Amino acid sequence: MNDFSIAISDLVDDDPVRNVESIKNAVISKLRESDAAVRIESTDYFNHTYAPDLVLRWDRDKEERHVYLRTSGNPAYLREDVAVVAERKPILMPLAPLRNREQSTELGSESADAGTLVADPASLYGISAGKRERPVLGLLSRAVLQGGRGLFDQARARSTSDAVGLGFVAAQQAEPELTRDAVVAAESLLDPAHAGQLTRLLHAVWLGSGAPATSFPGATGVTAELDAAGLQLLLDIAITDEEDFWRRIGSGVSLERLCEIEVGATSENLQRLVRVNLDHFKAKSCRISDEPFMVDYGSEPRWFTNSGVLGYTTDRYRALFSTGPISSLDFMESIEDGSVELVELLDRATEAGLNISELVIESSTGGRIDYKAPRDSDIYSDETLQELSHALGRQSSVLSAVVPIGGGSRHLTCDLTKRAASGRTVARFYLSELLHNAVPLLRSLRPSERVFLSEFAPMHDIHDLPIRLRSSSESAREIEE
């Protein structure tokens, strides 16, 4: 007799309400052990025909599933319950051992067809119990709670756990037989949406191993795109440092998807994933702050995801990149005014090998001018700009600058007052482009910091630019004269 059977036998005691609460608390404890992310609401009902006893919710996935507790282990009664409550595809949870093997087979078939999971708490916990040794089972455990169907006893929990755990390892080695077993086990137990979640993870790992997509076993029409849960798991448990693996993984991940999860700067796998996909991930905006996210790693940038954005931190500053507008980055604790003198801005641009096509300049007395370089000219050698600089005074500040990218086909506007950069309309830029064109203008960098950025995003040779730039000292001297 299990703990639930003992509690049920006590329901005839003087305080049945307390006994019901005890049963529900025991079930809730098992469910939370199965998935720590689930939120569980206990209703005012118990063993009710139509009203659920518990409601499971997942904030990130925006999913909900009802749980109906049953004190009887009679398969015939449970089959009747399946017919009554199947519309919402719930979990039917008998608290007593099932009887009659033949009727249990029929119960399994009918509940699978109805999208209803029939499982006792111990069976559900049986999957998650092995996730320490096989972390992929944590994803499987959640998928069963959200989309499991059919009869799920402890024997099936063991066989499914073995199939998926071994299949994940096999996919990393492009071994088809065990990978196929995992796909089949997932499709048999889970509804199509949640089976697809596991299959996409296996598929991504299969591709990461270097095997062709056409050879992936057991499922057709699988896309390479990972969902957030699969990506989080992969970053947590993958052990390879091969760049090709992470480049292949990145091909099936968008920056939007990556920003759905929270990954700290301590994750070496995140560093690898971002570093080799700077020319794949695209953002709409970025912002710089002098407040580092963490200082434990020195001046070398360390990537992290937080609050829906991707960023990196050094010991002196941090940079955030968003797939949304600049306003999506307003959660920074402070936004420093980054406007600088024209001389300094030109120095920054020259050191980074950048051209500038437009400027907004303001004098110390509040005079302002929008300046655009003449066609086929560069702003560094423009005589009119030099004259304007003299007229505005030595303390003039640059409020914004526009950097042409891709031969001038796209333009990146750097707002120095907000220390932020974005394109025009819906333009998006590769992270490598933002690292090369925005960060060096929005912040003064040490030589070592420029070296780190150049390693992340190799800079163009200065002679390959459309217009040759003058040296930093030459530009400053001309402005002062």
Side-chain angles (χ1 to χ4, degrees):
M1 183 175 288
N2 58 33
D3 294 340
F4 305 105
S5 298
I6 295 173
I8 291 169
S9 67
D10 289 340
L11 286 177
V12 295
D13 202 356
D14 293 336
D15 194 352
V17 173
R18 187 174 61 185
N19 288 323
V20 168
E21 183 179 358
S22 175
I23 292 173
K24 286 191 172 184
N25 287 339
V27 172
I28 289 171
S29 176
K30 288 294 183 184
L31 292 175
R32 285 181 174 151
E33 289 174 353
S34 299
D35 181 9
V38 65
R39 290 192 300 111
I40 305 174
E41 175 189 341
S42 179
T43 71
D44 295 330
Y45 300 95
F46 180 73
N47 200 36
H48 193 280
T49 302
Y50 301 103
D53 298 275
L54 305 171
V55 179
L56 312 184
R57 294 188 177 92
W58 292 264
D59 290 335
R60 174 181 291 174
D61 302 314
K62 297 181 180 179
E63 294 202 41
E64 178 178 295
R65 200 169 196 190
H66 292 180
V67 177
Y68 294 81
L69 303 180
R70 292 294 180 257
T71 58
S72 172
N74 188 328
Y77 294 162
L78 293 172
R79 289 170 62 193
E80 293 176 1
D81 288 329
V82 168
V84 171
V85 301
E87 182 179 353
R88 304 200 67 163
K89 304 185 186 312
I91 298 176
L92 202 61
M93 189 169 291
L95 302 178
L98 294 183
R99 307 190 301 271
N100 192 318
R101 182 179 297 274
E102 182 178 342
Q103 288 191 357
S104 293
T105 301
E106 295 173 345
L107 171 63
S109 176
E110 292 173 6
S111 58
D113 291 341
T116 298
L117 179 68
V118 180
D120 63 81
S123 298
L124 292 171
Y125 174 68
I127 293 181
S128 61
K131 63 185 177 184
R132 184 181 295 263
E133 293 77 22
R134 296 173 174 176
V136 70
L137 298 185
L139 181 62
L140 173 62
S141 181
R142 179 175 302 175
V144 172
L145 284 182
Q146 293 177 337
R149 58 185 181 177
L151 180 58
F152 190 70
D153 55 17
Q154 294 188 46
R156 193 176 188 189
R158 287 192 297 270
S159 64
T160 305
S161 297
D162 288 343
V164 172
L166 294 173
F168 182 80
V169 175
Q172 297 179 74
Q173 303 167 357
E175 198 285 312
E177 185 174 349
L178 291 177
T179 304
R180 181 183 296 107
D181 289 345
V183 172
V184 171
E187 291 179 340
S188 173
L189 175 60
L190 305 172
D191 63 27
H194 294 89
Q197 182 185 62
L198 268 172
T199 301
R200 284 192 298 274
L201 174 62
L202 295 170
H203 184 258
V205 175
W206 180 273
L207 295 180
S209 74
T214 54
S215 65
F216 182 72
T220 58
V222 182
T223 63
E225 185 175 358
L226 278 170
D227 60 10
L231 178 59
Q232 177 83 65
L233 178 69
L234 194 58
L235 289 170
D236 288 345
I237 69 177
I239 58 175
T240 181
D241 59 0
E242 293 183 6
E243 289 190 354
D244 286 344
F245 175 88
W246 291 108
R247 187 173 289 109
R248 296 183 189 111
I249 294 298
S251 67
V253 176
S254 63
L255 184 59
E256 289 89 344
R257 181 54 46 81
L258 178 59
C259 290
E260 289 180 22
I261 62 179
E262 299 273 332
V263 186
T266 58
S267 170
E268 294 299 333
N269 284 337
L270 179 65
Q271 312 310 310
R272 297 172 182 129
L273 175 66
V274 176
R275 186 172 62 245
V276 300
N277 287 286
L278 292 174
D279 56 353
H280 168 68
F281 292 141
K282 284 186 174 182
K284 288 185 66 175
S285 60
C286 69
R287 173 167 274 160
I288 304 296
S289 171
D290 284 336
E291 296 183 7
F293 191 73
M294 58 189 303
V295 297
D296 296 341
Y297 290 94
S299 58
E300 181 176 359
R302 296 286 299 187
W303 295 97
F304 62 90
T305 57
N306 180 262
S307 301
V309 301
L310 172 72
Y312 71 77
T313 183
T314 73
D315 58 354
R316 290 208 311 144
Y317 74 100
R318 59 175 156 162
L320 298 183
F321 304 85
S322 173
T323 58
I326 291 175
S327 59
S328 65
L329 299 167
D330 285 347
F331 63 86
M332 278 188 171
E333 291 83 354
S334 61
I335 301 174
E336 309 94 349
D337 185 343
S339 56
V340 296
E341 293 183 13
L342 181 57
V343 173
E344 180 177 346
L345 181 78
L346 296 181
D347 278 347
R348 292 182 185 180
T350 301
E351 289 167 350
L354 302 177
N355 195 5
I356 296 175
S357 61
E358 300 176 38
L359 290 170
V360 176
I361 310 170
E362 184 177 71
S363 72
S364 58
T365 59
R368 181 179 299 190
I369 187 169
D370 295 348
Y371 188 79
K372 184 174 183 179
R375 186 177 181 86
D376 299 326
S377 176
D378 73 271
I379 210 164
Y380 304 95
S381 59
D382 191 313
E383 294 180 0
T384 303
L385 177 62
Q386 314 308 324
E387 295 174 0
L388 285 171
S389 178
H390 287 304
L392 290 171
R394 184 175 176 81
Q395 297 303 314
S396 61
S397 298
V398 179
L399 306 184
S400 68
V402 176
V403 181
I405 297 177
S409 60
R410 293 173 297 142
H411 296 82
L412 181 66
T413 300
C414 296
D415 185 339
L416 280 86
T417 64
K418 296 181 178 178
R419 306 188 80 177
S422 64
R424 294 169 176 170
T425 63
V426 295
R428 299 202 306 167
F429 301 89
Y430 294 112
L431 292 182
S432 57
E433 294 176 322
L434 294 172
L435 287 169
H436 175 55
N437 294 281
V439 175
L441 283 189
L442 296 174
R443 195 185 200 285
S444 176
L445 300 176
R446 293 170 176 169
S448 60
E449 292 170 333
R450 290 197 297 272
V451 169
F452 282 128
L453 286 185
S454 67
E455 291 176 349
F456 280 131
M459 297 183 182
H460 301 293
D461 185 89
I462 193 169
H463 300 294
D464 292 335
L465 293 170
I467 299 170
R468 186 179 67 82
L469 306 181
R470 298 190 175 193
S471 68
S472 173
S473 59
E474 184 180 6
S475 300
R477 185 172 59 255
E478 287 188 353
I479 292 173
E480 290 175 346
E481 291 176 353

